[in-house]
Amino acid sequence: MFDLLLLCGLLSAFLHKSYLVLNLLTLGIKLEREKFMATKRILGLDVGDKYIGIAVSDPLGITAQGYRTWKRKTRDDDLAFFTDVVEQFNVTTLVSGLPRDMEGNETAQARKTRNFCQFLKKRLNLEVVYIDERLTSKASERVLIEGGVRREKRKEYIDTLAAQMILQVYLDSGEHTNQGY
């Protein structure tokens, strides 16, 4: 009987210590996740009249990952959506492609892009960087064709891939490393 009580006591102590260790491990994982999620990210955009391609940097600011294509709605809907994205990824910088013609002059779409990005900058307190986006949509389409993506599916991916290319060009330039990424 004494052995059984001792065994129960030891088992209880073991389970209690196991519970405490498990809680400490869980807390450690949560803290690491929070630390990981608190890392600043950079958002890349390919702004169009109907769709906005979106990419986000990895936490180290090395690679760009395509996130999604947003079908534009009202300005308020766009703001609500991008507010969620900025909060979800802890975005501090927005990089947008700026459409130019082949001579390097800004197009009408460039003015619309600047207008939209300035709107996000003011509302979401973001730094905005513009880079030349000439031919990114063409390059994106070429990648999708070479990848065997059917014509009817390409539209779903082309804007996101263009945003990813825009952001990757910026990340490769190293300009963001001066900003603490």
Side-chain angles (χ1 to χ4, degrees):
M1 183 69 168
F2 176 73
D3 290 340
L4 185 59
L5 289 174
L6 180 63
L7 184 59
C8 287
L10 289 173
L11 183 59
S12 176
F14 173 76
L15 290 175
H16 181 71
K17 283 187 178 184
S18 296
Y19 175 76
L20 291 176
V21 168
L22 185 59
N23 278 343
L24 286 173
L25 287 173
T26 304
L27 178 62
I29 291 169
K30 283 181 183 177
L31 291 174
E32 283 301 312
R33 182 179 183 279
E34 287 173 10
K35 181 179 168 186
F36 182 77
M37 294 307 287
T39 304
K40 296 177 187 176
R41 303 278 192 106
I42 304 170
L43 197 66
L45 299 183
D46 180 38
V47 180
D49 289 331
K50 294 181 182 178
Y51 298 95
I52 300 175
I54 306 165
V56 65
S57 71
D58 70 312
L60 299 176
I62 297 170
T63 62
Q65 287 94 38
Y67 176 59
R68 65 172 288 185
T69 297
W70 169 250
K71 185 173 181 356
R72 296 187 75 173
K73 299 174 184 171
T74 67
R75 203 164 177 116
D76 287 340
D77 288 338
D78 292 349
L79 178 61
F81 172 77
F82 280 101
T83 298
D84 289 344
V85 171
V86 165
E87 289 174 3
Q88 177 184 352
F89 292 108
N90 196 28
V91 172
T92 57
T93 303
L94 181 144
V95 177
S96 178
L98 200 59
R100 296 180 183 272
D101 63 23
M102 293 317 263
E103 287 79 39
N105 302 315
E106 287 191 10
T107 64
Q109 187 61 42
R111 287 184 288 283
K112 293 177 187 177
T113 297
R114 281 189 188 276
N115 184 24
F116 181 73
C117 290
Q118 289 303 311
F119 170 71
L120 291 180
K121 176 183 180 175
K122 288 177 187 170
R123 296 296 178 98
L124 302 177
N125 194 31
L126 298 171
E127 176 186 354
V128 176
V129 177
Y130 300 101
I131 67 165
D132 188 348
E133 74 160 23
R134 277 182 278 189
L135 306 177
T136 55
S137 291
K138 292 284 184 201
S140 299
E141 186 169 24
R142 191 171 53 246
V143 166
L144 294 170
I145 290 169
E146 290 173 6
V149 177
R150 297 174 55 92
R151 180 183 306 253
E152 55 273 1
K153 285 290 202 178
R154 279 185 225 144
K155 187 61 186 154
E156 293 177 35
Y157 303 110
I158 197 162
D159 295 317
T160 301
L161 187 54
Q164 185 177 350
M165 289 180 168
I166 289 164
L167 181 54
Q168 193 62 58
V169 166
Y170 175 74
L171 295 173
D172 290 345
S173 75
E175 289 183 40
H176 66 289
T177 57
N178 301 331
Q179 300 164 0
Y181 289 92

